[in-house]
Amino acid sequence: MKKNRLLAISLILIVSTFLFGCQKEENSSDKKISVVTSFYPMYEFAQQVGGERADVTLMVSAGEDAHHYEPSAKDVARVNEADVFVYSSEEMEHWVDSLLKTTENDKLVVARTADGVDSGDDHGAHEHDAQLEGVENVEIHGVADHYHTGDIVKLTAELEGNVDYEHWHWYTRANADEEWVTVPNQGGPQFEYEATGESFEVQAVLFDDAHNEYAKSAPVEIVINDHGHDHDDKADHEHGNEAEHDESHDHEHGEEDGHDHDHGAEDEHHEHGNDAAAGTIEIVGRADHYHTGDVVTLVAELKEEVDYEHWHWYTRTSENEEWEVVSGQESDHFEYKTTGESFEIMAVLYDDDHHTFAESEPIAIVIDDHENHDPHIWLDPVLAQEQVKVIRDAFIEADPDGKEVYEKNAEAFINELQALHEEYEAALKDAKERVFVVQHQAFGYLAKRYDLEQIAVGGLSTEVEPSPSRIAEIGELVKEYGVPVIYYQQGANSAIAETVANETGTKTAILYDLEVLSKELQEKDLGYVEAMRENLKSLQLSVQ
């Protein structure tokens, strides 16, 4: 009897263990993997691959910019609990490295979808020291035997041969062992620079319309020799035209027409940075980022009506630098071609007695050439397929039991992307006109895939009307290439866009770069494939 009872108990335990194991296995197979994605295209690609088996969330939410997003503590916590983190590349999401360094998640599978994509082609600016054909066919003229501290070094770069390119950069370095550094506010063939006491080398580089290096000079040495004397002793200084030097020096630092506009120095009525005046001016028109050579177009808006019209704009490269007045910018309208280095800018309005009446908060103008790589891989439907494969493999690594599901879903979406690619090929292959003009340089991969030419009217804003000279420049470009349309990213055509269109004889249309989950995408319920089909329709207005 006792033996039978023990046997019965044993059978119950065996059956219970088996049923518990089956239930556990069933629960395990039903559990969704947790996936955190960086920005919109990665979110949709992950959803397509994961289907019902993945819980996919998006970090950079609607309206936010993926380039300059700052992960919150909540984001870090989500990644710490996730099975998979999906992003495109460090060129797009600069913040990923720091995010992953703060993450403590040993089981996390990281899917960098740019892996396996041939992104070696350069659709943006090249490194300054890139090897070029025709190197050193720029001559620098005007170099003196030596200069004194405080002298204004005035040089001119001259290209051997005739080209229409006008996009110059000037670089300096202390010696051949140092890295070249871009000199701000030097965007043409003329170079003006105040000597600071140490000898240095200078080099001029000419870029083409795609921001690729076209030609450059040999390094030229600028010798600073004060002959062992204090530069302030004018009796010992007969180098150059003193009156010219004083005038240039004062203008460089804002001391013109007898006004004291030295930022950081207190005049009799106001010290810049005083909270009583700061913030009464708002600067509008700033883009999330610019490329080297783009034109930054801004407007300073005062919150009250006054008759004062004496504006100055000041820039600095960092908080540790002094503010410097930008010459030739003496209205509420600011227009400036970037030279490759980010900077801060501030607008100041002076009253009739030349005292500060109001000033803006400093804002950052971010120059981001994507470290010389175009990060917009996802805008090429063929490369997008490779990104989907990276996500598929990451999901399988995190959840081997779901391999069949992920492979099936990925294959279905890849087939959809291939069909999209074939639609583009069929629509564009016989076009005679293959140039399109965009507001922002984001479609390099797409242009290369379908043998098109992208021309960027860099910095063109839908908030601030460009100056007549800028409109004339755009008009010449439109005339040269015969383009009927200027494309704007994201939002609807604004009144400013319509003004530019009317003045240049073009139309405006939208191209989605899909960097942002925009209001328009949500309202129209456009996914990746649908948005790309809308892009194809828009492109056919120019590519005909």
Side-chain angles (χ1 to χ4, degrees):
M1 186 71 176
K2 183 177 181 181
K3 183 177 180 181
N4 290 338
R5 188 163 55 246
L6 289 173
L7 181 60
I9 293 172
S10 298
L11 288 172
I12 291 172
L13 288 173
I14 291 171
V15 171
S16 298
T17 300
F18 174 76
L19 292 175
F20 178 77
C22 291
Q23 182 67 37
K24 183 177 180 181
E25 183 176 344
E26 182 180 348
N27 290 339
S28 176
S29 64
D30 290 343
K31 183 183 177 182
K32 295 183 177 182
I33 61 170
S34 171
V35 180
V36 177
T37 62
S38 56
F39 72 116
Y40 173 64
M42 301 302 100
Y43 173 72
E44 178 164 346
F45 293 177
Q47 280 192 316
Q48 293 286 348
V49 175
E52 295 297 323
R53 197 176 175 90
D55 179 15
V56 182
T57 59
L58 175 65
M59 289 181 68
V60 183
S61 56
E64 293 183 296
D65 173 44
H67 291 284
H68 309 296
Y69 181 75
E70 291 294 334
S72 65
K74 184 178 179 181
D75 292 327
V76 175
R78 273 198 292 163
V79 175
N80 272 326
E81 297 298 322
D83 298 301
V84 181
F85 173 65
V86 179
Y87 74 105
S88 182
S89 70
E90 293 77 14
E91 286 77 29
M92 182 65 196
E93 303 103 310
H94 300 291
W95 40 269
V96 164
D97 277 344
S98 59
L99 170 69
L100 295 179
K101 286 177 182 176
T102 59
T103 301
E104 298 178 357
N105 185 350
D106 293 337
K107 67 181 180 67
L108 182 67
V109 176
V110 177
R112 182 183 185 275
T113 64
D115 288 346
V117 173
D118 182 13
S119 57
D121 297 315
D122 193 344
H123 300 284
H126 284 207
E127 284 288 346
H128 171 62
D129 285 326
Q131 296 299 313
L132 306 170
E133 294 184 7
V135 168
E136 299 183 3
N137 55 353
V138 172
E139 293 288 336
I140 294 180
H141 300 288
V143 181
D145 290 333
H146 70 278
Y147 299 84
H148 299 139
T149 298
D151 281 354
I152 302 299
V153 180
K154 294 185 177 182
L155 307 173
T156 300
E158 184 177 311
L159 178 71
E160 296 176 6
N162 295 320
V163 295
D164 294 329
Y165 307 139
E166 298 178 353
H167 182 190
W168 290 88
H169 277 202
W170 291 82
Y171 299 86
T172 60
R173 65 184 181 187
N175 54 60
D177 295 327
E178 301 293 330
E179 295 292 329
W180 288 104
V181 177
T182 307
V183 182
N185 302 330
Q186 306 284 342
Q190 308 298 325
F191 176 83
E192 290 194 16
Y193 185 81
E194 184 178 343
T196 57
E198 298 290 336
S199 298
F200 60 93
E201 292 184 337
V202 65
Q203 185 175 47
V205 181
L206 178 62
F207 289 77
D208 64 20
D209 293 335
H211 308 305
N212 300 324
E213 285 188 6
Y214 177 80
K216 66 183 179 183
S217 71
V220 171
E221 186 176 12
I222 303 300
V223 177
I224 311 301
N225 185 355
D226 291 329
H227 313 297
H229 299 297
D230 187 343
H231 177 68
D232 291 334
D233 185 356
K234 298 298 182 182
D236 292 335
H237 184 184
E238 298 298 332
H239 181 77
N241 185 316
E242 290 301 333
E244 180 182 343
H245 163 68
D246 288 345
E247 180 181 353
S248 299
H249 181 75
D250 289 346
H251 180 69
E252 179 73 17
H253 293 282
E255 297 176 14
E256 56 181 274
D257 302 329
H259 315 325
D260 182 3
H261 296 162
D262 183 13
H263 260 59
E266 185 176 357
D267 64 21
E268 62 177 302
H269 287 279
H270 177 68
E271 177 181 1
H272 292 319
N274 188 323
D275 291 338
T280 58
I281 295 172
E282 181 181 358
I283 297 177
V284 300
R286 177 181 58 164
D288 292 324
H289 72 280
Y290 299 84
H291 296 149
T292 298
D294 284 355
V295 175
V296 179
T297 305
L298 307 171
V299 163
E301 292 186 349
L302 189 66
K303 296 180 181 179
E304 56 186 296
E305 292 188 8
V306 295
D307 294 329
Y308 308 137
E309 297 180 352
H310 187 187
W311 290 89
H312 275 199
W313 293 80
Y314 295 85
T315 62
R316 65 183 182 187
T317 54
S318 70
E319 292 182 0
N320 299 323
E321 301 293 328
E322 293 293 327
W323 288 102
E324 293 188 359
V325 68
V326 183
S327 62
Q329 306 283 342
E330 297 171 354
S331 73
D332 60 348
H333 196 106
F334 177 85
E335 204 165 81
Y336 175 79
K337 182 175 284 189
T338 62
T339 59
E341 186 173 5
S342 299
F343 59 93
E344 290 185 330
I345 189 167
M346 177 163 64
V348 181
L349 177 63
Y350 291 88
D351 63 21
D352 293 335
D353 294 322
H354 311 303
H355 301 144
T356 299
F357 176 79
E359 69 183 19
S360 71
E361 295 285 351
I363 65 169
I365 302 298
V366 177
I367 312 302
D368 184 0
D369 290 325
H370 311 300
E371 297 185 10
N372 310 304
H373 294 292
D374 183 346
H376 303 86
I377 301 167
W378 60 92
L379 293 175
D380 177 344
V382 175
L383 296 184
Q385 296 175 45
E386 300 303 316
Q387 293 187 289
V388 169
K389 292 175 184 177
V390 172
I391 295 171
R392 175 201 63 197
D393 294 345
F395 283 13
I396 293 172
E397 180 181 347
D399 177 24
D401 292 338
K403 182 174 186 290
E404 184 176 343
V405 172
Y406 303 136
E407 287 181 338
K408 180 180 179 181
N409 290 345
E411 182 180 5
F413 189 50
I414 287 171
N415 288 339
E416 195 172 351
L417 293 174
Q418 180 63 22
L420 176 66
H421 162 58
E422 291 169 3
E423 288 176 35
Y424 267 78
E425 278 193 320
L428 304 176
K429 67 177 182 179
D430 294 327
K432 298 291 188 294
E433 303 296 333
R434 309 192 71 81
V435 174
F436 64 103
V437 175
V438 295
Q439 169 201 11
H440 182 68
Q441 186 173 318
F443 300 89
Y445 277 111
L446 184 144
K448 183 178 180 183
R449 175 65 60 189
Y450 303 109
D451 192 26
L452 309 178
E453 182 179 355
Q454 168 192 235
I455 297 176
V457 186
L460 193 58
S461 172
T462 55
E463 294 182 89
V464 177
E465 186 171 330
S467 66
S469 62
R470 177 69 167 145
I471 289 179
E473 178 186 340
I474 297 167
E476 287 299 317
L477 185 148
V478 167
K479 182 178 178 181
E480 178 182 355
Y481 291 96
V483 293
V485 176
I486 296 176
Y487 295 100
Y488 288 83
Q489 275 92 294
Q490 306 304 332
N493 298 337
S494 70
I496 303 302
E498 294 298 341
T499 298
V500 174
N502 292 334
E503 292 292 332
T504 58
T506 64
K507 297 179 181 179
T508 61
I510 298 299
L511 280 181
Y512 295 104
D513 60 20
L514 300 172
E515 288 186 9
V516 177
L517 180 56
S518 67
K519 181 179 178 182
E520 290 73 32
L521 288 173
Q522 296 178 81
E523 287 179 349
K524 295 178 181 179
D525 194 26
L526 297 178
Y528 172 86
V529 172
E530 292 78 18
M532 289 293 288
R533 286 199 173 106
E534 291 292 317
N535 280 350
L536 178 57
K537 292 178 185 176
S538 291
L539 277 172
Q540 288 178 282
L541 298 174
S542 285
V543 182
Q544 304 172 353

